[in-house]
Amino acid sequence: MKKIGLFLSFAILLGGCASYDLQNAMRPDNRRFEQKLPNMEAIFETGKSVVSDTSVSNINITSVQLNNEFATFFGREVEKNLINMNGPIKGKLVLDPVYFENKPNNAWLFTLYPLLFIPPALGVPLNSYTAKWELELNVFDKKGKRIARYSGEGSDTEYLAAYWGWKDPYTVAAFESYKKALDKIILQLQNDIPLLSAKLK
């Protein structure tokens, strides 16, 4: 009976974990660039060099163009901040996830039984996930010639914890680290927009 009480108390505590609003996270900020690229097609696909752990199936990476939250965010970022959508398409922006991993850290679980669930009740995490991405963006003109390549890495650690953690730290870590890697690429590309635009005729 005591174990049941502890379990119920624990379940109530985890009920206070925050939910991640993925729909809102897929809305990019307005970067307000002074100049944008001409109209281009945004493509999210993977190459042969993708490395990942077994949990990669949770984000559905395949060897073809994708339609998932990562592709959606990239497409929205391109349309909102990087290109002028008026006029004919002058080329392609191809984003390739070169590397992805999302590793759990379950060492926190060792605090449960010896101390009768007290640490988690005080906010000590139950577990955490650390996700890492390496992305590569290739810029192609309308003839298929690559005119630029950019790369960026991002990592993020999120926790499952009472009061302040997430209900699904795996998803949060995966998406937030992806956004960090993509942000690094966009900041690099921003400086080259005038040069790239001159080549995209």
Side-chain angles (χ1 to χ4, degrees):
M1 196 67 165
K2 185 177 180 181
K3 290 183 178 179
I4 294 176
L6 287 172
F7 176 78
L8 291 175
S9 300
F10 182 61
I12 293 171
L13 286 171
L14 286 185
C17 294
S19 296
Y20 186 63
D21 189 347
L22 184 59
Q23 184 178 9
N24 185 61
M26 287 192 294
R27 297 189 179 106
D29 296 330
N30 189 350
R31 295 179 183 269
R32 302 185 184 278
F33 289 169
E34 292 183 5
Q35 184 177 350
K36 294 184 177 183
L37 294 169
N39 197 7
M40 303 187 73
E41 182 181 3
I43 298 175
F44 181 102
E45 64 181 8
T46 63
K48 298 178 180 179
S49 55
V50 172
V51 179
S52 62
D53 64 4
T54 54
S55 59
V56 74
S57 59
N58 291 346
I59 63 166
N60 190 32
I61 283 185
T62 66
S63 59
V64 298
Q65 186 174 348
L66 301 180
N67 183 19
N68 58 24
E69 62 269 33
F70 305 101
T72 298
F73 182 78
F74 173 60
R76 290 176 176 177
E77 182 77 68
V78 169
E79 291 180 0
K80 184 172 185 176
N81 294 312
L82 297 181
I83 65 171
N84 291 309
M85 296 184 65
N86 298 323
I89 293 177
K90 299 293 185 178
K92 297 179 180 180
L93 295 170
V94 181
L95 186 66
D96 184 1
V98 177
Y99 178 86
F100 169 80
E101 69 175 16
N102 200 346
K103 292 185 177 180
N105 179 5
N106 296 317
W108 303 100
L109 293 175
F110 291 107
T111 66
L112 287 179
Y113 299 107
L115 299 174
L116 298 177
F117 291 85
I118 294 175
L122 298 176
V124 174
L126 279 174
N127 70 2
S128 64
Y129 283 90
T130 297
K132 297 179 181 179
W133 286 88
E134 180 183 350
L135 303 176
E136 183 176 282
L137 178 69
N138 288 289
V139 183
F140 296 93
D141 64 18
K142 61 184 178 182
K143 295 181 179 179
K145 178 183 177 182
R146 184 171 62 196
I147 60 174
R149 175 190 290 173
Y150 304 92
S151 62
E153 298 179 5
S155 64
D156 187 71
T157 300
E158 302 293 342
Y159 300 88
L160 175 64
Y163 310 121
W164 62 276
W166 298 98
K167 290 182 179 178
D168 183 9
Y170 178 95
T171 297
V172 184
F175 202 71
E176 290 300 314
S177 57
Y178 168 76
K179 290 171 69 175
K180 290 177 181 178
L182 182 59
D183 182 66
K184 290 180 180 178
I185 287 176
I186 291 174
L187 292 177
Q188 296 170 50
L189 183 145
Q190 177 188 5
N191 297 325
D192 292 344
I193 286 179
L195 179 62
L196 294 174
S197 297
K199 295 181 179 181
L200 295 167
K201 299 296 186 181

